[in-house]
Amino acid sequence: MSILKRVSDLIRSNLNELLERAEDPEKMLKQMILDMEESVREGKIALAQAIAQGNILKNQYEDQSKKAQEWLQKAEFALAKGDESLARECLNRKKNADQAAQAAKTQLDEHERAVSQARQDLDALESKVSQAKDKMQLLVARQRSAEASKKVNEQLAGLTRDASAFDTFDRMENKIERLEAEAGAAKTVQSDSLEERLSRLGADQEVEDDLAALKARLEQKKTGGQ
């Protein structure tokens, strides 16, 4: 399917370069995703049509096979009635039906292989489109982050070099770093607590297993002693 190659070419494009060149990178990337999804939709329609065509070929093969079997039965009937000429004609018709059935079967097998490959290509395409979506989100996030950083830097550039202003930013940075450290510590404590609880559960289970085994041995000895 040509659409598979077209979308693969889109995905192989250097998205980072396009992001830098585009006037509105986010809008451009979203449009690319829409184009890819449209190609996937077209691919599904084409695949459905191919499957329908395969059903037609299958029906043709089965129809010709059935006719061949019917002509064979008619030939047997004619021969049983002593009409060799009619039996020969029936066998001729059977041969033609067999050839038509074989031709349909060959075409059907080739068609089914093509449909199977197209199905695999479409699955791969959907996976690539999903990957492209993920990359788009990352690139858009980078764009927004860069724009925000640029805006902040422009604002900072407009400030006077008053020491108190920069001290304020330093204090803000230290406070944020302190909050980040506290958040990380809280996460670590929570993780450690979960690990300890899980470990205790495992240890308790081992004790229960040992107790059950001991009871079983005592019961076995008791039964053996009796």
Side-chain angles (χ1 to χ4, degrees):
M1 294 180 183
S2 59
I3 57 170
L4 300 180
K5 184 178 185 304
R6 177 158 62 86
V7 177
S8 294
D9 291 343
L10 277 173
I11 296 172
R12 282 196 299 268
S13 297
N14 190 329
L15 296 184
N16 288 310
E17 182 181 350
L18 291 173
L19 183 64
E20 293 171 0
R21 285 171 18 196
E23 294 181 4
D24 189 343
E26 182 175 353
K27 182 178 180 180
M28 180 273 297
L29 288 172
K30 288 182 177 179
Q31 184 58 51
M32 285 185 66
I33 295 298
L34 289 176
D35 291 341
M36 293 176 189
E37 289 177 335
E38 176 61 19
S39 294
V40 170
R41 188 187 69 82
E42 292 174 0
K44 288 181 176 180
I45 292 174
L47 181 59
Q49 292 172 343
I51 291 172
Q53 180 60 32
N55 291 334
I56 293 174
L57 291 173
K58 183 179 180 182
N59 290 337
Q60 290 175 350
Y61 165 67
E62 292 175 348
D63 183 56
Q64 292 299 327
S65 297
K66 182 180 178 181
K67 285 181 178 179
Q69 185 61 31
E70 289 174 350
W71 281 116
L72 177 61
Q73 291 172 355
K74 290 176 181 179
E76 292 173 347
F77 177 76
L79 192 59
K81 295 298 182 179
D83 192 337
E84 291 188 8
S85 177
L86 182 58
R88 189 177 292 109
E89 180 61 27
C90 289
L91 289 175
N92 244 344
R93 300 288 184 90
K94 175 188 178 299
K95 182 180 179 181
N96 291 337
D98 281 334
Q99 291 173 345
Q102 183 57 48
K105 183 65 166 63
T106 300
Q107 190 175 359
L108 175 61
D109 290 343
E110 292 176 357
H111 185 79
E112 286 181 342
R113 283 193 292 271
V115 168
S116 177
Q117 184 60 54
R119 196 189 303 275
Q120 292 177 24
D121 290 344
L122 188 58
D123 289 342
L125 176 57
E126 289 187 290
S127 176
K128 288 181 179 180
V129 172
S130 177
Q131 293 172 14
K133 286 182 179 180
D134 292 340
K135 186 160 189 177
M136 181 197 73
Q137 291 177 353
L138 291 174
L139 292 175
V140 170
R142 283 173 54 190
Q143 176 200 355
R144 292 175 179 174
S145 176
E147 289 174 347
S149 178
K150 179 181 178 182
K151 185 175 181 180
V152 169
N153 289 334
E154 288 173 348
Q155 291 174 342
L156 287 176
L159 295 175
T160 64
R161 294 189 174 277
D162 181 55
S164 61
F166 288 99
D167 288 344
T168 300
F169 279 103
D170 290 340
R171 287 196 300 273
M172 289 175 63
E173 182 179 7
N174 292 334
K175 184 175 181 179
I176 291 172
E177 289 177 349
R178 194 161 56 249
L179 289 172
E180 289 175 340
E182 291 172 357
K187 184 176 181 181
T188 301
V189 169
Q190 181 183 15
S191 177
D192 291 345
S193 175
L194 289 173
E195 291 296 333
E196 289 175 2
R197 290 168 61 190
L198 290 171
S199 178
R200 285 199 301 272
L201 286 175
D204 292 344
Q205 186 59 49
E206 288 179 5
V207 171
E208 291 298 324
D209 291 343
D210 290 343
L211 180 60
L214 182 58
K215 286 181 178 180
R217 285 199 299 272
L218 290 176
E219 185 64 27
Q220 187 177 7
K221 286 182 179 180
K222 190 181 299 183
T223 304
Q226 293 176 355

